[in-house]
Amino acid sequence: MKQAIQIKENMYWVGVHDFNCRHFHGDLFPIAEGTTYNSYLIVDEQVTLIDTVEEEFYDTMMERIRSVIGERTIDNVIVQHAEPDHSGGFLKFMKDYPNARPYASNAGVGIMLKQYFKSYDFQRVKTGDTLSTGRYTLTFVEMPMIHWPDNMLTYVAEQKIAFSNDAFGQHIASYDIFDDAHGAAKCIDRAKDYYANIVMPYGMQVANKLKQIRDMNLDIDMIAPAHGIIWRSYLPELFQAYEDFATFKAVDKAVIVYESVWKHTQMMAEALAEGMGRNGICVKIFKCSMTSPAIIQKELLDAKAVLVGSGNYNNAMAGSIAAFLEKLITCKVKNKKGLGFGSYGWANLVTKEINARLEKAGITLLNDEVVSQNYTPSEADLDALMELGKQIAEEIKAM
């Protein structure tokens, strides 16, 4: 029988491991080692479940719950987020516990009704509303657009624990469910990966919510998210990392993303990288069609510059580059500079279009010139690109 794991007195992790998950949010976020769907049980005068799990894992969650409470009823269920990886088991739960009172944000109730087409006696809550379960008082904090309109956090003052749903999540699938079992560097790196691929467009909302939580003077010594490990030892590092993520705090780093058939654009990319790398800039260079988009997203988060290159294919840029730029536009990046480049045969059209899309993404161009190459770059052409890379390095360091 699957067992619950106690995380604090009267509080238990009753989630599931999905070790076989390799694509999160469809194919948008490839992941390496699987993930978890975390549910939590509070055992008090009233028993409260915080979030359910994917529908297919419902029975596993229930095994863990019954390992703690047996056949005792559950009085409350908190729907912190209506996305199916957290609410998919809700209908089965309500069938098993028809007298349980469900709590959700106003937006959450609306989404649940639109997803599952069944009305329950939802208790609509907003920031500052509370639920007393006996010894414990649960305080709700709305977190809209981190990363859906309905997200919320549940705080238990008596235990100094915040159940944060998607906020502060990461993909670490392990039976060692606390951060200190994995080390600060790994945990923060996985949190960065998750933030870059799920939360990046909502940096302003994250910054505002971090400020609100500080202003509410919530005394927190544990954060229990909906994915990955539970934070208890590295909270200062986590909060600082989220502050940096939300403000797009950057280092002297450039990301080069390109596509190339006959290596002409690749040669340009490598020459630009050489010029920057020799002059103190960390350079990450990726052939777009051969690289997981999750890797590129993560590296973009704290880079000062992004350079994008493509050859001309029937007067258009490569499809992978077009898709990358469309996604970049949705990311709402701040305080970054960029540059388009590429090779062509008979129609020098693509580089201007890349630059236009970079500007549409809110990125300031590094250079007013159109950096294009007709067919194969000569040694002199490559030397000129390395010199341009050197100039870009100085501009990056001055940012």
Side-chain angles (χ1 to χ4, degrees):
M1 181 177 184
K2 298 286 196 304
Q3 299 290 315
I5 300 175
Q6 186 169 1
I7 60 175
K8 288 216 176 216
E9 183 182 7
N10 300 320
M11 299 193 174
Y12 300 86
W13 176 86
V14 290
V16 299
H17 297 89
D18 186 357
F19 291 111
N20 294 321
C21 180
R22 290 296 178 270
H23 291 90
F24 188 72
H25 280 211
D27 64 353
L28 294 178
F29 188 1
I31 54 178
E33 66 174 54
T35 191
T36 66
Y37 309 112
N38 298 337
S39 296
Y40 301 97
L41 192 71
I42 300 174
V43 181
D44 199 0
E45 293 174 21
Q46 298 177 19
V47 178
T48 302
L49 179 65
I50 297 183
D51 292 320
T52 60
V53 296
E54 286 262 22
E55 182 180 8
E56 66 180 291
F57 297 110
Y58 176 78
D59 290 343
T60 299
M61 179 190 75
M62 289 309 305
E63 277 191 50
R64 297 195 195 279
I65 289 172
R66 289 181 179 129
S67 76
V68 178
I69 64 170
E71 296 306 313
R72 184 180 172 183
T73 193
I74 296 176
D75 302 283
N76 310 301
V77 56
I78 313 300
V79 182
Q80 297 192 117
H81 181 26
E83 199 167 7
D85 52 339
H86 311 296
S87 71
F90 178 78
L91 294 183
K92 287 184 177 180
F93 173 85
M94 292 305 297
K95 184 177 181 180
D96 287 344
Y97 299 94
N99 295 320
R101 290 180 301 275
Y103 290 76
S105 67
N106 189 60
V109 173
I111 295 172
M112 291 293 285
L113 293 174
K114 290 177 181 177
Q115 284 191 148
Y116 301 120
F117 311 109
K118 194 166 183 179
S119 181
Y120 295 92
D121 185 22
F122 280 104
Q123 310 297 301
R124 298 172 184 257
V125 296
K126 61 184 183 303
T127 296
D129 286 350
T130 60
L131 165 65
S132 175
T133 62
R135 294 173 56 187
Y136 304 125
T137 298
L138 282 57
T139 300
F140 302 108
V141 180
E142 294 170 280
M143 303 182 77
M145 299 317 301
I146 308 174
H147 64 122
W148 275 23
D150 64 309
N151 283 79
M152 68 179 188
L153 171 152
T154 304
Y155 173 67
V156 184
E158 295 83 0
Q159 292 282 28
K160 301 181 181 180
I161 184 170
F163 298 96
S164 63
N165 198 261
D166 277 332
F168 310 114
Q170 13 59 47
H171 294 306
I172 297 175
S174 172
Y175 289 101
D176 292 319
I177 67 171
F178 294 107
D179 56 357
D180 39 58
H182 303 276
K186 176 180 177 179
C187 292
I188 296 298
D189 183 72
R190 295 297 177 85
K192 177 184 177 183
D193 198 15
Y194 186 93
Y195 182 98
N197 283 278
I198 301 298
V199 189
M200 188 193 292
Y202 311 110
M204 180 178 69
Q205 289 90 339
V206 172
N208 290 339
K209 190 54 59 175
L210 289 170
K211 181 180 184 302
Q212 183 186 33
I213 290 172
R214 287 195 301 269
D215 291 345
M216 291 176 72
N217 295 314
L218 303 184
D219 186 5
I220 298 172
D221 68 11
M222 183 178 289
I223 292 178
H227 297 291
I229 51 84
I230 296 168
W231 302 88
R232 65 181 182 185
S233 295
Y234 307 131
L235 291 178
E237 294 92 333
L238 175 65
F239 284 129
Q240 184 59 60
Y242 255 65
E243 292 278 2
D244 293 345
F245 300 159
T247 57
F248 287 96
K249 183 178 180 181
V251 297
D252 289 344
K253 182 171 83 172
V255 173
I256 300 177
V257 183
Y258 75 92
E259 200 59 64
S260 185
V261 172
W262 304 117
K263 298 189 176 181
H264 302 155
T265 304
Q266 178 178 335
M267 293 166 70
M268 297 177 73
E270 292 175 357
L272 288 163
E274 183 95 4
M276 288 186 284
R278 285 184 184 179
N279 288 278
I281 301 301
C282 173
V283 183
K284 301 290 184 178
I285 181 168
F286 303 109
K287 188 171 184 180
C288 194
S289 61
M290 298 179 67
T291 309
S292 163
I295 294 172
I296 299 174
Q297 286 288 106
K298 179 180 176 183
E299 296 295 343
L300 279 173
L301 183 60
D302 61 355
K304 288 184 177 179
V306 53
L307 283 68
V308 181
S310 174
N312 282 237
Y313 308 95
N314 297 323
N315 298 332
M317 69 185 74
S320 61
I321 294 297
F324 166 73
L325 288 168
E326 285 303 304
K327 185 171 184 179
L328 185 63
I329 289 167
T330 72
C331 288
K332 300 179 183 177
V333 297
K334 306 290 184 186
N335 308 318
K336 297 189 188 298
K337 294 190 176 183
L339 184 67
F341 65 93
S343 61
Y344 69 98
W346 52 92
N348 186 13
L349 301 173
V350 165
T351 303
K352 289 181 181 179
E353 178 60 24
I354 291 174
N355 283 337
R357 295 195 192 187
L358 287 171
E359 289 185 300
K360 186 176 180 181
I363 294 171
T364 303
L365 296 182
L366 284 158
N367 195 319
D368 291 332
E369 298 178 16
V370 176
V371 182
S372 295
Q373 174 63 46
N374 190 218
Y375 292 104
T376 307
S378 66
E379 287 298 323
D381 293 327
L382 295 175
D383 287 343
L385 287 165
M386 282 189 278
E387 180 61 30
L388 176 58
K390 178 181 177 181
Q391 295 170 18
I392 292 172
E394 298 306 315
E395 189 167 348
I396 289 173
K397 286 185 282 188
M399 292 174 64

